[in-house]
Amino acid sequence: YVSGDSFRMSADPVTMFAITAVKTLSDIKASKKQAKIEAQRYEERKKLAIRQAADEEAQRKREYWATIASNKASQAGSGFTLDSKSFLAIQTDVTNTMEKDIGTIRLNLETDLGELGFAQDLAKSKRKQEQFGGWVSIASAGYEYKAKKDKYDS
């Protein structure tokens, strides 16, 4: 407002800077808290992916052993010997298929963990940038409000 011949600001620059700084500090604190929560979520997702892969692998091995047992029972009922080349070829094929399936499960797990790790690193980087930006904003506001105060005081 205008008082006599002098121009007066509605709020002094120090007060404005303090309000801006407190809000920015609150934002930085919230960003740090959110970063911690995000990190925990990513770690939980990694643990879940590992558990799921272990469960899939265990299930595949159970299926393998059931197939082997079934093949042996069928073979015994048909009168072939356990060293029959046909029987051994079937068992080898079942084993090879199981090993490939387990390899695929493990490869998929590593891919999932890699993607989660990348996403986690990106989120962490974004939060650090937010926090750094907050500090820069406080510094910038400090210089700006100091200049306004100097102008106000003169």
Side-chain angles (χ1 to χ4, degrees):
Y1 68 93
V2 177
S3 172
D5 291 336
S6 65
F7 174 76
R8 302 219 19 149
M9 296 178 63
S10 61
D12 71 281
V14 174
T15 303
M16 294 303 295
F17 170 72
I19 291 169
T20 301
V22 168
K23 188 218 181 290
T24 304
L25 287 171
S26 174
D27 291 346
I28 290 170
K29 185 177 179 182
S31 179
K32 286 181 178 182
K33 185 177 179 182
Q34 187 63 31
K36 189 179 268 189
I37 290 169
E38 287 172 350
Q40 290 171 345
R41 284 183 187 158
Y42 279 113
E43 291 305 317
E44 286 301 316
R45 288 175 64 188
K46 287 177 184 178
K47 288 177 186 175
L48 178 62
I50 291 168
R51 278 195 305 269
Q52 287 175 333
D55 290 347
E56 285 179 38
E57 188 173 325
Q59 176 61 30
R60 184 60 186 99
K61 286 179 180 178
R62 283 190 295 274
E63 291 171 1
Y64 166 76
W65 289 113
T67 301
I68 292 292
S70 175
N71 287 350
K72 285 181 179 179
S74 295
Q75 187 271 340
S78 65
F80 290 102
T81 62
L82 288 177
D83 60 351
S84 161
K85 290 188 187 225
S86 298
F87 175 74
L88 291 176
I90 291 169
Q91 294 296 69
T92 299
D93 185 50
V94 169
T95 301
N96 290 341
T97 301
M98 183 269 305
E99 289 172 351
K100 286 179 186 176
D101 290 349
I102 288 178
T104 300
I105 290 167
R106 290 177 182 170
L107 180 63
N108 289 342
L109 171 62
E110 291 303 316
T111 300
D112 291 346
L113 291 177
E115 288 175 2
L116 284 170
F118 181 72
Q120 184 177 16
D121 289 345
L122 236 91
K124 183 178 179 181
S125 176
K126 179 182 174 193
R127 292 292 173 191
K128 284 188 181 250
Q129 287 175 353
E130 283 178 0
Q131 294 161 21
F132 180 75
W135 291 113
V136 169
S137 173
I138 290 173
S140 172
Y143 287 121
E144 178 183 341
Y145 288 117
K146 182 186 179 318
K148 286 181 181 179
K149 183 180 183 312
D150 290 346
K151 184 176 181 182
Y152 175 75
D153 286 343
S154 60

